Amino acid sequence: MATATLEIWRGDATGGEFKEYTTELTEGMVVLDAIHQVQAEQAHDLAVRWNCKAGKCGSCSAEVNGQPKLMCMTRMGDLPTDRPITVEPMKAFPLVKDLVTDVSWNDEVKKRIKPFKPRPPDFEDGSWEMHQSDIDRVQEFRKCIECYLCQDVCHVLREHHMHDEFIGPRFLVYNAALEMHPLDTEDRREDLRKSQGIGLCNITKCCTTVCPEGITITDNAIIPLKERVVDQAYDPVRKLIQLVTGR
Amino acid sequence: MASGTTTSLPVRGSFGQTMRADNWWVQPVLVALGLGVAVLYLNVAAFLGEYYAFGNYLSPLYSPEIFGDTPHALFGPKPSIWPEWLPWSPAFLILWAPAGFRLTCYYYRGAYYKAFLADPPNCSVGEPRQSYLGVWWKPTTWNEQSFPLIMQNLHRYFLYLALLFIALLSYDAWHALWFIDPATGEETLGLGVGTLVLTLNVILLGGYTLGCHSLRHLVGGGLDVLFDKPVRRTAHACVGCLNKRHMLFAWMSLYWVCFTDLYVRMLSMGIWTDWRIF
């Protein structure tokens, strides 16, 4: 029976270390299966958050061999087993225990974003007319499962700890889903520029690279939002045209 | 973190610190080398100020030749008011525009922030500075809303100029089809390897410029409803299609511009011979 060696981070906010566990491999096994096997057979107190095991709940986010990944979607067979596989918690959030981090900061950020504000209904029955071609763009953003891997890999949060100044890629995507919605009438550009720190994103596309849902975060959400902020704050010609034409 | 939080974040990593097992440094090193070599070549070619035209071919680094000594010059030789102490090259008058377009390009921004400022060196890799984009003697927080990086927001203005350059370079490619017959002195239609080089140059530059994120926004991306605007909806889709290959076109066009200049330069210096297809 083939085996793999896992180096799993064990500890809490006060400190910790990598501990080595060797476990048997079975066909089709994912990292989360291996972690559960270690938990069942060797480390009963190993803390790990998980739920759906299908890549849809976004609970089992961690760093596997230094790369932010969903443990349930990372096959052991795709990882090199000639050396230990490291599994550690996300770095952008406070550690609770072992592989579990406190991601509640994200919930607080979400509350700060102006909610959906639709235009008055188009019809007497309270419904609106929308066309699929206009909805396609925002539907991409609604695939987000809030695993926060993009927040974890974003160096503004991970390395610079600028959680007070920057809302991170996840919530720029959330803003984009609202801001580009064909029914929405709210204007979030001032918030994006002033309190949500869109200018801090320097477009390294790490968030796009790690997104398990394949959302093109940088090109389809962040850069279009940056362009909308330019419209509002940094384009004097557009300002002049708006002043003259009133549009 | 919000004030009052009692838990602390993990300690910041030091430069290059990562658990990544792959060769993460290869990408930024290749980008730094790729950009460095291209910028070096472009500077040398611009400062040389000669051997940039050959017959009906004009190097894209010198097009349009506003003032200069070749028949391509629009307004004759170097203006007499140009100070003697200031180096002169016809390229100085124009190259700032495409250079500004590339410098403020969203793709290049991400690439050179990584490759030259190591902010970050690569995804999930420790950085050399704790401050964001600051330098060791002046730790600060730069972002694209304060000087100097606020200038990145001028990208759309450079785009307008870049579109003008596409039109001018298209004319150059057309002009490269017309050769002077030495016997009669008349222009005749022909096709040389140089014609193909100049034509491919404008195609690649067009692919890069027309896939620009700012253009995508301006043609339709800035609107929430495009259903009732078929022209803008189509334009948005077309620019979006090119935008998916923006990085590819950015590199191909950058190096093909360099090669096009080299090709014309070698012809002009008599080192290479232009092969006429007809």
Side-chain angles (χ1 to χ4, degrees), chain A residues 91-109:
Chain A
K91 300 282 179 57
F93 307 111
L95 183 61
V96 176
K97 186 176 184 295
D98 300 337
L99 301 178
V100 178
T101 50
D102 175 6
V103 294
S104 59
W105 170 79
N106 294 286
D107 302 329
E108 298 305 315
V109 172

mmCIF file of all heavy atoms in Angstrom, chain A residues 91-109:
data_model
loop_
_atom_site.group_PDB
_atom_site.id
_atom_site.type_symbol
_atom_site.label_atom_id
_atom_site.label_comp_id
_atom_site.label_asym_id
_atom_site.label_seq_id
_atom_site.Cartn_x
_atom_site.Cartn_y
_atom_site.Cartn_z
ATOM 1 N N LYS A 91 -2.923 32.273 5.912
ATOM 2 C CA LYS A 91 -2.024 33.218 6.584
ATOM 3 C C LYS A 91 -2.621 34.612 6.791
ATOM 4 O O LYS A 91 -2.051 35.413 7.509
ATOM 5 C CB LYS A 91 -0.741 33.354 5.750
ATOM 6 C CG LYS A 91 0.036 32.066 5.540
ATOM 7 C CD LYS A 91 0.815 31.728 6.785
ATOM 8 C CE LYS A 91 1.586 30.431 6.614
ATOM 9 N NZ LYS A 91 2.507 30.433 5.485
ATOM 10 N N ALA A 92 -3.725 34.881 6.114
ATOM 11 C CA ALA A 92 -4.248 36.246 6.169
ATOM 12 C C ALA A 92 -5.227 36.457 7.318
ATOM 13 O O ALA A 92 -5.722 37.569 7.504
ATOM 14 C CB ALA A 92 -4.926 36.589 4.841
ATOM 15 N N PHE A 93 -5.486 35.398 8.073
ATOM 16 C CA PHE A 93 -6.468 35.503 9.145
ATOM 17 C C PHE A 93 -5.902 34.945 10.449
ATOM 18 O O PHE A 93 -5.000 34.090 10.432
ATOM 19 C CB PHE A 93 -7.745 34.724 8.766
ATOM 20 C CG PHE A 93 -8.294 35.121 7.429
ATOM 21 C CD1 PHE A 93 -8.245 34.254 6.354
ATOM 22 C CD2 PHE A 93 -8.840 36.379 7.244
ATOM 23 C CE1 PHE A 93 -8.725 34.629 5.115
ATOM 24 C CE2 PHE A 93 -9.316 36.768 6.001
ATOM 25 C CZ PHE A 93 -9.266 35.888 4.942
ATOM 26 N N PRO A 94 -6.443 35.411 11.584
ATOM 27 C CA PRO A 94 -5.930 34.918 12.871
ATOM 28 C C PRO A 94 -6.153 33.414 13.018
ATOM 29 O O PRO A 94 -7.204 32.890 12.659
ATOM 30 C CB PRO A 94 -6.759 35.691 13.902
ATOM 31 C CG PRO A 94 -7.350 36.834 13.173
ATOM 32 C CD PRO A 94 -7.510 36.408 11.748
ATOM 33 N N LEU A 95 -5.157 32.754 13.556
ATOM 34 C CA LEU A 95 -5.242 31.305 13.747
ATOM 35 C C LEU A 95 -6.065 30.993 14.994
ATOM 36 O O LEU A 95 -5.885 31.607 16.053
ATOM 37 C CB LEU A 95 -3.829 30.724 13.896
ATOM 38 C CG LEU A 95 -3.717 29.224 14.042
ATOM 39 C CD1 LEU A 95 -4.283 28.501 12.829
ATOM 40 C CD2 LEU A 95 -2.264 28.816 14.259
ATOM 41 N N VAL A 96 -6.965 30.044 14.869
ATOM 42 C CA VAL A 96 -7.714 29.557 16.035
ATOM 43 C C VAL A 96 -6.988 28.324 16.571
ATOM 44 O O VAL A 96 -6.466 28.331 17.679
ATOM 45 C CB VAL A 96 -9.182 29.221 15.656
ATOM 46 C CG1 VAL A 96 -9.915 28.635 16.860
ATOM 47 C CG2 VAL A 96 -9.910 30.456 15.146
ATOM 48 N N LYS A 97 -6.914 27.289 15.753
ATOM 49 C CA LYS A 97 -6.187 26.079 16.150
ATOM 50 C C LYS A 97 -5.879 25.235 14.906
ATOM 51 O O LYS A 97 -6.749 25.079 14.043
ATOM 52 C CB LYS A 97 -7.006 25.257 17.147
ATOM 53 C CG LYS A 97 -6.273 24.049 17.717
ATOM 54 C CD LYS A 97 -7.132 23.356 18.780
ATOM 55 C CE LYS A 97 -6.414 22.192 19.445
ATOM 56 N NZ LYS A 97 -6.104 21.095 18.592
ATOM 57 N N ASP A 98 -4.673 24.727 14.856
ATOM 58 C CA ASP A 98 -4.224 23.835 13.773
ATOM 59 C C ASP A 98 -4.525 24.427 12.384
ATOM 60 O O ASP A 98 -3.876 25.366 11.981
ATOM 61 C CB ASP A 98 -4.837 22.445 13.940
ATOM 62 C CG ASP A 98 -4.439 21.805 15.271
ATOM 63 O OD1 ASP A 98 -3.386 22.217 15.817
ATOM 64 O OD2 ASP A 98 -5.189 20.955 15.765
ATOM 65 N N LEU A 99 -5.535 23.859 11.694
ATOM 66 C CA LEU A 99 -5.833 24.321 10.339
ATOM 67 C C LEU A 99 -7.021 25.282 10.285
ATOM 68 O O LEU A 99 -7.467 25.663 9.202
ATOM 69 C CB LEU A 99 -6.116 23.110 9.431
ATOM 70 C CG LEU A 99 -4.975 22.096 9.324
ATOM 71 C CD1 LEU A 99 -5.384 20.915 8.448
ATOM 72 C CD2 LEU A 99 -3.707 22.752 8.774
ATOM 73 N N VAL A 100 -7.517 25.668 11.448
ATOM 74 C CA VAL A 100 -8.728 26.502 11.510
ATOM 75 C C VAL A 100 -8.350 27.954 11.800
ATOM 76 O O VAL A 100 -7.641 28.244 12.766
ATOM 77 C CB VAL A 100 -9.697 25.984 12.591
ATOM 78 C CG1 VAL A 100 -10.926 26.884 12.690
ATOM 79 C CG2 VAL A 100 -10.111 24.551 12.280
ATOM 80 N N THR A 101 -8.846 28.850 10.933
ATOM 81 C CA THR A 101 -8.603 30.283 11.146
ATOM 82 C C THR A 101 -9.916 31.003 11.393
ATOM 83 O O THR A 101 -10.992 30.514 11.030
ATOM 84 C CB THR A 101 -7.915 30.901 9.911
ATOM 85 O OG1 THR A 101 -8.646 30.535 8.745
ATOM 86 C CG2 THR A 101 -6.476 30.447 9.789
ATOM 87 N N ASP A 102 -9.805 32.184 11.986
ATOM 88 C CA ASP A 102 -10.981 33.001 12.269
ATOM 89 C C ASP A 102 -11.209 33.938 11.076
ATOM 90 O O ASP A 102 -10.476 34.916 10.903
ATOM 91 C CB ASP A 102 -10.736 33.808 13.553
ATOM 92 C CG ASP A 102 -11.869 34.773 13.839
ATOM 93 O OD1 ASP A 102 -12.887 34.736 13.125
ATOM 94 O OD2 ASP A 102 -11.719 35.603 14.771
ATOM 95 N N VAL A 103 -12.208 33.616 10.270
ATOM 96 C CA VAL A 103 -12.456 34.409 9.062
ATOM 97 C C VAL A 103 -13.603 35.406 9.256
ATOM 98 O O VAL A 103 -14.146 35.935 8.293
ATOM 99 C CB VAL A 103 -12.739 33.489 7.842
ATOM 100 C CG1 VAL A 103 -11.519 32.678 7.471
ATOM 101 C CG2 VAL A 103 -13.928 32.574 8.099
ATOM 102 N N SER A 104 -13.956 35.689 10.509
ATOM 103 C CA SER A 104 -15.130 36.538 10.761
ATOM 104 C C SER A 104 -14.923 37.977 10.286
ATOM 105 O O SER A 104 -15.902 38.695 10.074
ATOM 106 C CB SER A 104 -15.474 36.512 12.249
ATOM 107 O OG SER A 104 -14.377 36.976 13.009
ATOM 108 N N TRP A 105 -13.655 38.392 10.133
ATOM 109 C CA TRP A 105 -13.398 39.740 9.602
ATOM 110 C C TRP A 105 -14.111 39.930 8.263
ATOM 111 O O TRP A 105 -14.630 41.008 7.970
ATOM 112 C CB TRP A 105 -11.879 39.925 9.421
ATOM 113 C CG TRP A 105 -11.502 41.155 8.664
ATOM 114 C CD1 TRP A 105 -11.447 42.437 9.123
ATOM 115 C CD2 TRP A 105 -11.123 41.219 7.274
ATOM 116 N NE1 TRP A 105 -11.055 43.289 8.119
ATOM 117 C CE2 TRP A 105 -10.855 42.573 6.973
ATOM 118 C CE3 TRP A 105 -10.976 40.262 6.264
ATOM 119 C CZ2 TRP A 105 -10.441 42.990 5.704
ATOM 120 C CZ3 TRP A 105 -10.578 40.682 5.001
ATOM 121 C CH2 TRP A 105 -10.312 42.029 4.741
ATOM 122 N N ASN A 106 -14.182 38.885 7.479
ATOM 123 C CA ASN A 106 -14.834 38.975 6.167
ATOM 124 C C ASN A 106 -16.320 39.313 6.296
ATOM 125 O O ASN A 106 -16.867 40.059 5.485
ATOM 126 C CB ASN A 106 -14.661 37.649 5.406
ATOM 127 C CG ASN A 106 -13.213 37.388 5.059
ATOM 128 O OD1 ASN A 106 -12.655 38.008 4.168
ATOM 129 N ND2 ASN A 106 -12.574 36.492 5.805
ATOM 130 N N ASP A 107 -16.947 38.740 7.325
ATOM 131 C CA ASP A 107 -18.375 39.032 7.523
ATOM 132 C C ASP A 107 -18.590 40.506 7.848
ATOM 133 O O ASP A 107 -19.559 41.129 7.403
ATOM 134 C CB ASP A 107 -18.941 38.165 8.657
ATOM 135 C CG ASP A 107 -18.755 36.681 8.376
ATOM 136 O OD1 ASP A 107 -18.775 36.313 7.191
ATOM 137 O OD2 ASP A 107 -18.568 35.909 9.332
ATOM 138 N N GLU A 108 -17.663 41.058 8.637
ATOM 139 C CA GLU A 108 -17.771 42.474 9.002
ATOM 140 C C GLU A 108 -17.579 43.358 7.764
ATOM 141 O O GLU A 108 -18.261 44.375 7.604
ATOM 142 C CB GLU A 108 -16.722 42.831 10.072
ATOM 143 C CG GLU A 108 -16.895 42.065 11.379
ATOM 144 C CD GLU A 108 -18.297 42.231 11.961
ATOM 145 O OE1 GLU A 108 -18.800 43.366 11.977
ATOM 146 O OE2 GLU A 108 -18.896 41.204 12.361
ATOM 147 N N VAL A 109 -16.632 42.984 6.924
ATOM 148 C CA VAL A 109 -16.388 43.766 5.709
ATOM 149 C C VAL A 109 -17.630 43.769 4.822
ATOM 150 O O VAL A 109 -18.034 44.801 4.286
ATOM 151 C CB VAL A 109 -15.180 43.194 4.927
ATOM 152 C CG1 VAL A 109 -15.041 43.872 3.568
ATOM 153 C CG2 VAL A 109 -13.901 43.382 5.726
#
